[in-house]
Each structure stands twice: as structure tokens, then as C-alpha cells.
Amino acid sequence: MSRFLQNATPDGAHTGHRRVTRHVRAWLAAGAMRRAAGVLGLAVGVLGTVGIAAAEKLPKEWYLISAEYPPTARATALAIEEPLAAKLKLDRPGSLDELRAVQAQVRRVVELATPATVSVELSDSLGSGVIISSSGLVLTAGHVTVEPKRPLWVRLPDGRRYRGRSLGVNHRVDSGLVKITADPPAGGWPSIPVADNAAQAGDWVIALGHPNGFVKGRLPPLRLGRVQMLEDCTLSTDATLVGGDSGGPLLNLRGEVVGIHSRIGERITSNFHVPIKEYREDWPRLVEGRMTGVPDGEDPAADRPLVGVSLTSDARGPLVSQVFPGSPAAEAGLQVGDRVVGWNDEPIQSLAQLTRLAALAEPYQRVQVLVERAGESPPNEANRLENGPPQRLNLVVWLTRVDRRFPGLASESSGSQAGSGSDAYDEDPR
């Protein structure tokens, strides 16, 4: 169920199988699997009759995350006292006392938000992010993480760094979600709330981030500005951004996240952010680790789901003949000899049927694959030649995609995005 599942014709199962070996072997020979090893993630889980012992082997960071929005945050929004609230609606402070009141409120916001403003560090890029739940969910920009299931580091402003993984990405609006997979400290991760209401033109906003990446001894720089424009998927401000700020938070004066830095305009004082409503509306897909759209420069037609097995077929249906190391199939626990009998609750009768269903899947979709596996003989029957009755296993396979290219590398960056620094990180956080 790798590249051949998109190429095999529905009425040509045997022809498709001959293409299986040719395509997959050529693909492996070209080194694509080795290059992809850094981004192939971990299996979500093994369900059903696989048993407790096997389930305990699964990485705990991939226990399913609640899709409830907004996620539980440790911090609460700050109050804005009158008469400051009325004065903030004016074009500018009208007196020194009003200016000092704004300054005091900004200071409160920065004290709240700084501990949760993080650097997101991958093997090929740097960006920013903001923790919005005590469980370690981090909002960032889609072009920072590029795709789901990538291992990364999340670095706090004090320099401590923790392992994480990218979850969902929406390239149509440039939103992304990260999960810190390390154990949280006592009381949970530092976090700030997300806004319930959209920002409006003229609102005062604060931009935080890690421009040019994390700098030891430097807290996230503060940039104060105003909202210039709000369209369907884009929020524009005059708050200064530079490279490395991508994924950092745009905050209102209550300390709530109203947007995430996305792109730098023609001038550094005219910049673009993803409105928080885009994360709210897309939250289930982000939490599930799905990808919407493709990165800049990639052909959507070339994006195909990958499972990572080779199949044969007999009169009873498809059989797994090879499982590729590091692939989603391997991580979910598929084995050579497994007979695929179900795909997302649909009974499987033939290789051609399975091919059609796989072709309709999306990259980074979680798929339930029901397999029959030969049983093992009891220990007191060690000399018995035949296998025991088959087991039925319900495996959850988190697909990846066949063709992966990562824009934003030093050799490919166009410089149009606010985010990824060109410095490569020297250690893979897997």
C-alpha cells in the first residue's frame, strides 16, 4: 500500500502487484525512505484484540488528544480597567497618564505571555510558537513544521528544551499545531488563553516571538502595534516582524492570542498573521494530525498517501508480503502474512478494492485496518506444525505521504515567509 496503491488500476490487481515491487524497490534504491526517516512519525495505537502487553509498547505521547476547543489553559485573560478600556479605542493616548496606563497594561501582558512563547526547532528550520494548554499544545505557523509527524524541539525562553512532534497543518491558511511530548512539569506547561472574539481594525496588539531563533539570555522581544485590516483568513498589523518570528503569538491587551505570525509584508511594519478563528474552525483536523493543502512549491496532484507495505492476493483477498521499516504500517504493527480484511469498517474482498479505498485516503489520515493474523501454537504443543486459529487485529495506521519536499531550506528559501531560519539544528529530537 505504498506508491502502487495510487498507480494500480481497480480492474488490474495482478498488474498492480507487479508494479508494487518495481515501484517500491526503485523508490527504496533511490534513498527516499532513508531521507524520509526523520519525518516518519509514531503509530497512534493498536486497538481491539492486540492486548494490553502490545498497547504498553506504544509511545504515551500519542494517546489520543481531546478535540475539545479551546483546550484547557492554565492562565486566564487579564482584565482591562476603566477608563483605560475607553481610551484604547482612541487613535492614540491623549496624555502622559494615558500612555503610562497603556504601558502598564502591556507590561502585564508580556509578563503573562513570555513564559509560554517558545522557539520551535526542527532539523532544517527554526520558528516560534505559543503554548495554549497546560498539556503542551503549541500553536505555530504551518510553514514552520511543514507537515505532521515531524520530530522537533520546543525551547522555553529560559533555554530549556523539550521533545515534541508536529500535529496538524493547514497550508491554505498557514496554521500548524505542535505537541510537547516530554513529561510536563508540576502544574503543567506555562500557557496563555486564546481569544473568543476576533481582533478588530484599530485594536492595540503585541507581537512576541524569537526573531532569528532563540538567543541565550534574551527574552522574546516585544513589538507593539495596531490591527490594520482583518479579512477572512488574514490579519494585518503594523507590529514589526523579522525572520524567525513565524508561529509566534499576536496578543490583545487582555493577554489572549488573537493571531499567529505568518508572513512579512513588503515593509517590516506591514505584516500578516493567521487569525485565531482559523485554528478554532480547523481544530479537529489539527488535533488529529491531518494536513490540508500542500506546502508552497509542491504539486497537489503529486501528494499521495503512504502506508508502507507490499501486497499479494489470493482467492481470499490481499496479503501483506512486505512491511517497510520506519513506515506507518511498521509503526502500527502490520506484519508479513497479515490478511487485510477491513479498511475503516468496510470489509475488504480484493486487492483492487483496497487499492481504490487507499487512493481515496488523505496523507496524514488515521485509518483503521482490520487484519487476520495466524495464531501461535500453545507452548505445550511446540511440535505442532500448523498455526492456531487466526487472530483479528484492529490496527490504527497514521498515513504519511509519498513525495515529501521541505521548502524553507537554505538552498530553497524565497525569503517571503516570516519564519524558518536558515540555521540547521545539529541534533534530531526523535
Side-chain angles (χ1 to χ4, degrees):
M1 272 185 284
S2 55
R3 189 187 301 271
F4 74 95
L5 279 181
Q6 291 75 54
N7 294 337
T9 57
D11 57 350
H14 296 292
T15 301
H17 173 60
R18 285 195 294 270
R19 281 198 291 264
V20 170
T21 306
R22 184 172 68 253
H23 281 303
V24 173
R25 286 180 180 170
W27 180 42
L28 291 175
M33 182 63 80
R34 290 189 295 275
R35 290 193 300 274
V39 296
L40 286 174
L42 302 171
V44 172
V46 181
L47 308 177
T49 58
V50 71
I52 295 176
E56 289 176 345
K57 298 177 182 178
L58 296 172
K60 60 186 176 181
E61 58 261 31
W62 293 120
Y63 288 168
L64 295 179
I65 303 168
S66 171
E68 179 183 357
Y69 185 90
T72 302
R74 188 175 68 181
T76 56
L78 301 173
I80 300 178
E81 303 295 337
E82 293 289 352
L84 178 60
K87 299 298 184 183
L88 290 174
K89 298 178 182 178
L90 302 177
D91 182 57
R92 62 178 62 87
S95 67
L96 183 58
D97 287 341
E98 292 176 5
L99 184 60
R100 286 172 174 162
V102 172
Q103 175 181 282
Q105 187 70 16
V106 168
R107 182 175 294 153
R108 294 176 65 202
V109 171
V110 173
E111 289 175 353
L112 172 72
T114 291
T117 302
V118 298
S119 175
V120 178
E121 304 172 351
L122 295 94
S123 60
D124 53 13
S125 65
L126 299 171
S128 300
V130 58
I131 307 174
I132 59 163
S133 75
S134 56
S135 62
L137 289 175
V138 180
L139 299 186
T140 189
H143 72 264
V144 170
T145 56
V146 180
E147 64 179 9
K149 300 183 68 172
R150 297 191 68 186
L152 49 82
W153 294 105
V154 174
R155 190 185 291 270
L156 301 185
D158 62 9
R160 291 176 296 165
R161 64 176 187 170
Y162 299 92
R163 298 177 189 274
R165 291 267 174 173
S166 58
L167 293 178
V169 177
N170 186 336
H171 287 290
R172 294 172 185 166
V173 298
D174 198 26
S175 59
L177 186 65
V178 164
K179 178 69 169 64
I180 303 174
T181 56
D183 291 332
W189 299 103
S191 57
I192 57 176
V194 294
D196 292 327
N197 300 316
Q200 301 297 320
D203 286 355
W204 289 88
V205 287
I206 297 168
L208 294 179
H210 291 274
N212 297 317
F214 172 82
V215 176
K216 185 176 181 180
R218 183 195 71 181
L219 294 178
L222 146 69
R223 279 67 53 88
L224 183 64
R226 309 286 291 266
V227 175
Q228 297 174 322
M229 177 186 65
L230 180 65
E231 294 184 346
D232 289 342
C233 300
T234 303
L235 191 157
S236 174
T237 74
D238 59 6
T240 302
L241 297 180
V242 298
D245 276 322
S246 278
L250 185 73
L251 309 163
N252 61 21
L253 290 193
R254 290 171 52 84
E256 300 169 317
V257 182
V258 295
I260 294 295
H261 312 325
S262 176
R263 294 180 181 271
I264 301 171
E266 293 182 1
R267 298 175 297 158
I268 62 173
T269 55
S270 180
N271 300 298
F272 302 97
H273 319 261
V274 183
I276 196 63
K277 76 177 185 68
E278 298 297 333
Y279 291 86
R280 180 187 300 111
E281 293 172 359
D282 205 29
W283 191 250
R285 288 181 63 87
L286 292 174
V287 168
E288 290 170 9
R290 304 283 285 273
M291 187 171 77
T292 303
V294 297
D296 288 346
E298 292 197 18
D299 180 6
D303 205 50
R304 295 289 187 272
L306 168 70
V307 178
V309 298
S310 202
L311 298 173
T312 59
S313 184
D314 60 18
R316 295 176 54 198
L319 283 168
V320 176
S321 59
Q322 187 174 7
V323 179
F324 298 105
S327 69
E331 292 156 356
L334 267 75
Q335 297 180 8
V336 172
D338 286 346
R339 183 181 300 280
V340 181
V341 296
W343 177 277
N344 276 348
D345 298 326
E346 183 165 342
I348 297 299
Q349 307 294 332
S350 67
L351 179 58
Q353 178 195 10
L354 183 56
T355 298
R356 286 194 297 267
L357 292 175
L360 294 174
E362 296 180 13
Y364 303 108
Q365 178 181 353
R366 290 182 173 108
V367 177
Q368 288 188 315
V369 178
L370 184 65
V371 301
E372 286 186 349
R373 180 173 298 169
E376 296 182 358
S377 300
N380 60 350
E381 299 183 37
N383 296 326
R384 185 177 168 186
L385 297 179
E386 66 272 17
N387 291 325
Q391 311 172 64
R392 282 210 162 199
L393 304 180
N394 192 5
L395 308 180
V396 179
V397 181
W398 192 358
L399 305 181
T400 182
R401 58 188 181 127
V402 172
D403 293 316
R404 288 173 297 275
R405 293 171 296 278
F406 298 120
L409 299 179
S411 61
E412 299 175 359
S413 178
S414 64
S416 62
Q417 292 175 325
S420 304
S422 59
D423 293 334
Y425 206 69
D426 61 356
E427 184 179 350
D428 191 331
R430 284 175 295 159

